[in-house]
Amino acid sequence: MNKAIAAMAFAAALLTAATVKAQQAGEPQEGYSYFLPKTSLRLSVLVEKTTVTPGELCIYADRYLKKSDAPQTKSERYRIVSISMATEAVRDTARYFVLKADAKHSINYAEIDRNGILAAINTEARAAREFVPFESKPTDTRIDARKFLSQEILAAGSKAKMAELVAREIYDIRESRNEVARGQADFMPKDGEQLKLMLQLMDTQEQALTQMFCGTTIRDTMQNVIRYVPADEVSDLILFRFSEKLGMLDDDDLAGAPYYISIEDMKEQTPVPDILQEGIKPSKDDIGLRVVAPGKVRATIRTLSNALSTMPYEFFAAQFGTLINLSGELFGRKVHTELTLDPTTGAVETVKTELLKK
């Protein structure tokens, strides 16, 4: 909690400092203070945790059930199920600007998102896609075997005697199920539904009693989210480490094997709409409006042995693009312009202009 408060205080201090800087530079107080975005890479790593718990009678599993591989100790194992990548925006504190909103320009409204990033002018912005966390649904096969134990089994004076009685009960259930399936049981169900329920009950009883020897296995899939903001090209940077026994680890924890990330600048930028080409040129009518022509980037995740099926992920990133100064002429008094920006890259997404009637 203290870290979160400190982070908020730091962000507020940056915004205040930037505002003071703008005031000292002689920029107007009437306007909209905003940041441009940096494009952050969000990696979602799904990790399956398997917990094996030995049964109460595990040491007798081989003798009575011929299960020589029944677990004798509790164990936990982890494996990576999948790695997926997506992008989201964070504010670029080095790109702070103030958009003028004076009588000389037709800027009636500017939408700034919750991160302080400019999203739209004179219209509503497109909502950024919300991140939906993975919902864990553990597969728990445990059944309380005690409720299926007879009085004789519960009264057994030793584990060895209990194991013998439980094993005998398991074989009796199997024999009874075979008799019901063949139609040879003394008490046969009256219809198919009763038959189905009887067989299900027998299966449940056998599974519960068998777990006393063979133990139980629980699988739970967890989501680990890693956010990485690339600043430049990198090759084989350790992003995190992973251990079959410990799961996800920090990049400096040598108990796990490294997973590397590489960032490649593909030297390609999004085109600027034709209607804005004039606005790219230097103009005396500078209203503090900046957008980005983002650059294309390729991210690759690999292991030491390259044994990873994750495909390279290509995306556009604001910090790999070009900063563009749009002229205030786009928002002159005789024209109404609506502008929306990509919430992740700061690129011009749509622009509509309409001449105003005199």
Side-chain angles (χ1 to χ4, degrees), residues 214-236:
C214 300
T216 58
T217 299
I218 299 175
R219 290 183 174 86
D220 187 12
T221 302
M222 302 164 289
Q223 182 182 51
N224 298 268
V225 178
I226 301 173
R227 289 175 170 84
Y228 173 70
V229 183
D232 206 343
E233 288 188 302
V234 296
S235 178
D236 289 344

Side-chain angles (χ1 to χ4, degrees), residues 43-64:
L43 296 98
S44 298
V45 184
L46 293 184
V47 177
E48 182 185 73
K49 176 183 178 181
T50 302
T51 303
V52 177
T53 304
E56 181 181 351
L57 305 175
C58 61
I59 61 175
Y60 301 100
D62 188 29
R63 178 188 300 179
Y64 291 109

Side-chain angles (χ1 to χ4, degrees), residues 166-179:
V166 171
R168 186 184 303 167
E169 187 74 13
I170 291 174
Y171 289 116
D172 287 345
I173 292 172
R174 292 177 180 177
E175 184 177 351
S176 297
R177 183 172 55 226
N178 289 334
E179 290 178 352

Side-chain angles (χ1 to χ4, degrees), residues 83-255:
I83 299 177
S84 60
M85 291 181 271
T87 55
E88 58 188 18
V90 296
R91 65 168 62 174
D92 188 344
T93 55
R95 290 180 172 178
Y96 167 86
F97 304 97
V98 177
L99 175 65
K100 293 180 183 179
D102 54 26
K104 298 179 181 179
H105 301 92
S106 58
I107 297 178
N108 304 317
Y109 168 72
E111 184 170 334
I112 313 296
D113 71 12
R114 60 187 177 185
N115 292 318
I117 298 171
L118 180 64
I121 300 175
N122 289 339
T123 187
E124 292 185 357
R126 174 176 67 84
R129 181 177 296 179
E130 293 291 333
F131 171 57
V132 181
F134 174 81
E135 184 178 351
S136 176
K137 296 180 180 179
T139 57
D140 191 345
T141 59
R142 291 176 298 182
I143 303 174
D144 184 9
R146 291 281 172 176
K147 64 183 180 181
F148 296 109
L149 299 183
S150 65
Q151 183 178 358
E152 182 183 7
I153 296 175
L154 292 173
S158 65
K159 290 288 184 181
K161 183 61 177 178
M162 176 180 283
E164 179 185 350
L165 295 174
V166 171
R168 186 184 303 167
E169 187 74 13
I170 291 174
Y171 289 116
D172 287 345
I173 292 172
R174 292 177 180 177
E175 184 177 351
S176 297
R177 183 172 55 226
N178 289 334
E179 290 178 352
V180 169
R182 297 190 190 102
Q184 300 174 350
D186 294 336
F187 300 98
M188 288 297 297
K190 297 180 180 180
D191 53 37
E193 187 63 27
Q194 286 187 357
L195 175 62
K196 181 180 178 181
L197 292 175
M198 180 179 292
L199 292 175
Q200 286 179 347
L201 179 59
M202 290 181 178
D203 289 342
T204 301
Q205 289 177 329
E206 182 182 351
Q207 182 181 353
L209 297 178
T210 301
Q211 285 180 355
M212 296 185 70
F213 292 97
C214 300
T216 58
T217 299
I218 299 175
R219 290 183 174 86
D220 187 12
T221 302
M222 302 164 289
Q223 182 182 51
N224 298 268
V225 178
I226 301 173
R227 289 175 170 84
Y228 173 70
V229 183
D232 206 343
E233 288 188 302
V234 296
S235 178
D236 289 344
L237 174 71
I238 297 178
L239 188 63
F240 65 93
R241 290 178 181 269
F242 184 80
S243 167
E244 289 186 358
K245 294 182 178 180
L246 302 174
M248 292 281 292
L249 301 172
D250 293 335
D251 58 356
D252 58 352
D253 192 334
L254 300 182

